[in-house]
């Protein structure tokens, strides 16, 4: 899963909205002030708060494999347990330059929709299986941290897979 830099212009939130509409994917969007972490997100008081995703952009120790891990917002991810359960090498957070070069995103805007900017289709999405439970919704940024989109989890998975990235459901237990 060697990565290549994102050579195209990253999709902004309007382009994400247009793409969803062109694919006839139903979504609800809430515009809000910029948020940079889950505590700030909680202060916005969004609908469907239990479906908001926390997204971790990770890499292995050799910078050969990159992963986006999306879990329900209240969960903390034990990287050692995650590594054991998903057979990866030792994991660490990818740096801001990797985030910009691979997904075309800036800190605070990390989202599974950023995978639509992954020109090499090299980032593997690990999606917490809890998002497949009722109400089967997921809340993510539309590549900018000034809005949150709520859509059906299956629609998100199909969109990401259609763009060429792999999605794996995983069980992430709350710490």
């Amino acid at each position: 899963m060697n990565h290549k830099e994102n050579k195209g212009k990253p999709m902004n939130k309007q382009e994400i909205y247009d793409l969803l509409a062109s694919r006839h994917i139903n979504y609800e969007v809430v515009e809000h002030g910029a948020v940079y972490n889950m505590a700030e997100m909680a202060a916005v008081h969004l609908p469907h708060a239990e479906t908001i995703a926390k997204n971790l952009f990770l890499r292995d120790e050799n910078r050969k494999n990159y992963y986006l891990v999306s879990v329900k917002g209240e969960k903390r991810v034990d990287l050692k347990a995650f590594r054991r359960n998903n057979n990866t090498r030792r994991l660490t957070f990818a740096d801001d330059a990797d985030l910009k070069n691979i997904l075309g995103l800036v800190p605070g805007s990390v989202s599974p929709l950023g995978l639509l900017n992954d020109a090499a289709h090299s980032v593997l999405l690990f999606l917490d299986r809890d998002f497949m439970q009722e109400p089967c919704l997921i809340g993510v940024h539309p590549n900018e941290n000034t809005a949150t989109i709520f859509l059906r989890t299956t629609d998100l998975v199909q969109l990401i897979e259609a763009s060429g990235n792999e999605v794996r459901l995983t069980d992430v237990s709350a710490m």
Side-chain angles (χ1 to χ4, degrees):
M1 261 198 293
N2 291 330
H3 79 279
K4 294 181 184 170
E5 290 187 4
N6 174 26
K7 297 296 184 192
K9 180 181 170 285
M11 295 179 79
N12 64 32
K13 68 181 174 182
Q14 187 58 56
E15 291 166 327
I16 293 291
Y17 302 157
D18 294 345
L19 175 66
L20 294 174
S22 74
R23 300 274 176 97
H24 306 288
I25 295 174
N26 291 324
Y27 67 94
E28 176 183 350
V29 65
V30 177
E31 299 278 338
H32 50 72
V35 293
Y36 294 92
N37 56 51
M38 294 310 292
E40 290 178 10
M41 191 70 150
V44 176
H45 303 292
L46 294 171
H48 321 293
E50 74 284 0
T51 69
I52 294 173
K54 175 171 31 181
N55 300 288
L56 310 176
F57 187 49
L58 306 172
R59 65 170 177 80
D60 69 13
E61 59 195 341
N62 297 328
R63 291 184 182 256
K64 290 186 178 178
N65 298 300
Y66 287 81
Y67 308 97
L68 183 62
V69 178
S70 296
V71 300
K72 291 223 172 171
E74 77 278 359
K75 290 187 176 184
R76 293 188 60 222
V77 179
D78 177 336
L79 293 182
K80 289 180 183 177
F82 182 86
R83 180 191 72 188
R84 282 191 307 273
N85 295 338
N86 293 284
N87 300 314
T88 69
R89 297 182 67 92
R90 192 173 75 77
L91 297 173
T92 188
F93 287 91
D95 60 31
D96 295 354
D98 286 340
L99 179 61
K100 184 69 170 169
N101 291 335
I102 299 169
L103 299 182
L105 301 176
V106 296
S109 296
V110 179
S111 168
L113 293 169
L115 295 176
L116 301 175
N117 297 329
D118 178 14
H121 313 296
S122 61
V123 178
L124 172 59
L125 173 61
F126 280 103
L127 184 66
D128 187 356
R129 195 177 310 275
D130 282 356
F131 286 114
M132 302 305 272
Q133 306 298 319
E134 286 297 328
C136 302
L137 289 176
I138 186 168
V140 297
H141 289 311
N143 292 348
E144 296 178 29
N145 66 350
T146 57
T148 300
I149 290 180
F150 297 93
L151 68 160
R152 291 180 53 228
T153 307
T154 52
D155 287 339
L156 176 67
V157 168
Q158 289 170 355
L159 187 66
I160 299 303
E161 289 178 338
S163 78
N165 288 76
E166 183 180 351
V167 179
R168 287 190 197 161
L169 295 179
T170 188
D171 293 305
V172 179
S173 25
M175 286 179 54

